[in-house]
Amino acid sequence: MADTTFLDWPFLDQRHRDHATWLDDWCGAQGNALHRESGDVGADCRALARLLGDAGVLRHAVPAAYGGAGERVEVRTLCLTRQTLAYHHALADFVFAMQALGTGAIALFGQESVRRAYLPRVAAGEWVAGFALSEKEAGSDVAAMATTATRVPGGWRIDGEKTWISNGPIADVLTLFARTGEGEGARGLSAFVVPTATAGFAVTETIDVIAPHPLATIRLDGCVVPEDHLIGTAGGGFKIAMAVLDMLRSTVGAAALGLARRATDEAIARATTRRLFGAPLADLQLTQAAIADMALGNDASALLIYRAAWAKDRGQPRVTREAAMAKLHATEAAQRTIDAAVQLFGGAGVVSGNVVERLYREVRALRIYEGASEVQKVVIARAAIAAAAGSSAA
């Protein structure tokens, strides 16, 4: 991280500064181990999970009682970790993020027996976790979910199909959402822990995307899980999903910020060493304007991200508005920053293997997953309207 001035902001404590500095140094020392690209993205992710587990990085994704680093999972530390890993290698950030997302509901609402069975393995990097919410007709509209879970003696039978499931091809355990029918729409959803070795679970399709990640469509046919694998209460799945996303959505912005900061550093290095018309590219006012926009976007994103994370860590029950603002601004700003960096590189910027070319592919999905930008605008607008109505009533 070239720019570390944000570490001195009052949102962060000394332990956060120490963690960010240590992780940045650790990433820089890993070399090819962190930038593993064997051609098998699933194998690479498993290797990264073990690397991050052995280094203790994944301990920040689970509570201390189950092998974690802190008494509870802290959002500021998650954000710092994602920002730092994304700066160095986006796939390492993906691996860390999925361990946190895949076990967030278990840590917050799961039965003690299930927490002890799965969380230590995830913290050690021995098991890979995932989060199975989306379906072909139920992405942003979670209430349209069709996968069902039915009570059977000793547990629940799950039937249906999920798609766009990160880590789907390689996960050992998933947090999965299904319709249990306690009410209409979102009121009838429940959350379950599903080990992928369970009979009836199958990966039916792997999905190739522009920045390789292990994505899949999965099928569950009579997949039975024990009663204690119900997370929280039957019918409480939507609230559980929103609570997890509420906690982790700002970390998506942090990952975007890590990519944007890397693009900014690459662009500045290019502009100060590339000569054009007999002078450094950086001497051109249009180049300076582009770099100014990058720096402005980065700082504005960081302020929104660490405000949201600080508010959650200090006990604010919901940070839906703050997290939506952080994700929306940071991901959109990162897209603009990386696009501008590619432009400054000219033809070299679209050559396969160039850092900014890789960043250009990696940033795009962040504006979609965990709530597309359009969804975040709806969330922010509704919060603003509700706040204005409450103020008027008072």
Side-chain angles (χ1 to χ4, degrees):
M1 293 179 296
D3 182 1
T4 60
T5 56
F6 74 99
L7 292 174
D8 293 323
W9 293 351
F11 295 125
L12 301 172
D13 299 328
Q14 187 58 45
R15 69 180 184 280
H16 301 119
R17 300 180 187 103
D18 292 343
H19 173 68
T21 300
W22 171 82
L23 184 57
D24 187 49
D25 290 343
W26 179 83
C27 287
Q30 295 311 299
N32 291 334
L34 189 67
H35 296 271
R36 177 186 172 96
E37 292 184 9
S38 68
D40 182 341
V41 70
D44 291 346
C45 285
R46 279 199 167 276
L48 284 168
R50 290 310 301 257
L51 182 69
L52 294 171
D54 290 345
V57 178
L58 295 180
R59 295 179 62 234
H60 296 284
V62 302
Y66 313 100
E71 182 179 351
R72 58 187 176 85
V73 176
E74 192 181 59
V75 183
R76 284 172 292 178
T77 302
L78 292 178
C79 286
L80 287 167
T81 303
R82 293 203 64 181
Q83 178 182 334
T84 305
L85 290 174
Y87 181 94
H88 288 276
H89 189 36
L91 195 62
D93 162 64
F94 167 82
V95 170
F96 175 81
M98 288 312 304
Q99 297 294 79
L101 178 62
T103 59
I106 301 172
L108 290 171
F109 306 104
Q111 297 285 338
E112 183 66 15
S113 57
V114 172
R115 290 175 178 172
R116 294 197 177 281
Y118 299 115
L119 296 185
R121 292 178 175 180
V122 170
E126 297 170 1
W127 274 33
V128 171
F131 189 81
L133 182 65
S134 296
E135 299 179 6
K136 288 182 179 178
E137 302 300 328
S140 297
D141 182 11
V142 177
M145 187 178 297
T147 297
T148 61
T150 308
R151 281 192 183 274
V152 296
W156 293 83
R157 170 181 169 147
I158 306 173
D159 296 276
E161 187 177 76
K162 298 285 183 180
T163 194
W164 300 111
I165 306 306
S166 292
N167 279 349
I170 64 169
D172 298 292
V173 62
L174 296 172
T175 293
L176 184 141
F177 296 81
R179 181 166 300 286
T180 47
E182 288 74 19
E184 294 293 325
R187 293 189 297 254
L189 304 179
S190 299
F192 299 89
V193 181
V194 179
T196 60
T198 305
F201 178 94
V203 175
T204 58
E205 177 190 15
T206 57
I207 302 170
D208 294 327
V209 289
I210 58 176
H213 291 81
L215 288 170
T217 299
I218 61 173
R219 182 78 193 172
L220 302 102
D221 289 311
C223 191
V224 178
V225 297
E227 179 64 38
D228 67 350
H229 282 47
L230 170 69
I231 302 175
T233 59
F238 181 76
K239 290 183 179 179
I240 289 172
M242 294 305 104
V244 173
L245 294 176
D246 197 46
M247 181 176 74
L248 292 173
R249 189 162 277 156
S250 57
T251 77
V252 182
L257 177 57
L259 299 177
R261 287 197 185 279
R262 179 61 180 270
T264 301
D265 289 349
E266 296 292 329
I268 291 173
R270 173 74 170 184
T272 53
T273 57
R274 174 73 167 174
R275 297 185 68 82
L276 191 66
F277 306 122
L281 182 59
D283 285 359
L284 296 178
Q285 288 186 329
L286 285 175
T287 301
Q288 294 170 8
I291 292 172
D293 286 340
M294 293 177 185
L296 176 61
N298 291 344
D299 272 17
S301 295
L303 285 164
L304 288 168
I305 291 162
Y306 291 105
R307 176 190 70 162
W310 170 80
K312 187 65 178 177
D313 286 342
R314 69 192 292 264
Q316 187 169 316
R318 296 298 300 272
V319 292
T320 305
R321 170 180 172 273
E322 293 88 344
M325 286 184 170
K327 181 184 186 295
L328 175 63
H329 185 278
T331 56
E332 294 289 335
Q335 182 81 66
R336 293 191 297 270
T337 289
I338 293 169
D339 184 73
V342 170
Q343 196 73 10
L344 284 173
F345 269 76
V350 292
V351 173
S352 180
N354 188 304
V355 172
V356 295
E357 179 271 337
R358 175 174 55 80
L359 294 169
Y360 191 80
R361 289 184 289 105
E362 288 168 342
V363 74
R364 189 59 184 85
L366 275 64
R367 294 168 57 205
I368 299 173
Y369 75 71
E370 290 193 37
S373 292
E374 292 76 11
V375 172
Q376 305 311 317
K377 290 180 180 180
V378 172
V379 170
I380 295 165
R382 287 178 176 174
I385 292 167
S391 178
S392 298

